[in-house]
Amino acid sequence: MEENRVPQVTLGYRVMAWVVAVFVGSVAGIGLGLLTQDFWTGLVAGVSAIGLIGFSITLAARREGHGTIEATPPWTGDAGARHDGGSV
């Protein structure tokens, strides 16, 4: 069985989610670093914010993806999009 590619919509969404997470985390880290006048506090806060925001957006997207064609295993074909057993 050949390897299936990640759909471009999903891949684009994940990339954009991490770009937003890096931007927001960087701003939060710089702000906290300037507020406390401590470089390490700003660095830790920024990295923590990037991780928390990025993973939460990714997990939320996975949870919202259930029941869609992108969330189905590749071997289910068109029938994978419906979980109630109805006709296509």
Side-chain angles (χ1 to χ4, degrees):
M1 179 184 283
E2 65 185 63
E3 186 175 330
N4 292 329
R5 292 183 42 196
V6 175
Q8 291 295 71
V9 175
T10 303
L11 185 60
Y13 182 80
R14 286 182 182 174
V15 168
M16 186 53 69
W18 281 102
V19 166
V20 168
V22 168
F23 177 74
V24 172
S26 299
V27 170
I30 290 170
L32 192 59
L34 290 174
L35 184 67
T36 62
Q37 297 293 317
D38 186 19
F39 171 77
W40 293 109
T41 302
L43 184 67
V44 168
V47 170
S48 300
I50 289 170
L52 183 66
I53 294 168
F55 284 121
S56 65
I57 291 173
T58 304
L59 291 175
R62 284 186 184 173
R63 186 173 56 233
E64 290 296 321
H66 289 299
T68 64
I69 294 173
E70 290 181 0
T72 59
W75 57 85
T76 57
D78 293 334
R82 61 178 198 282
H83 294 287
D84 60 350
S87 61
V88 175

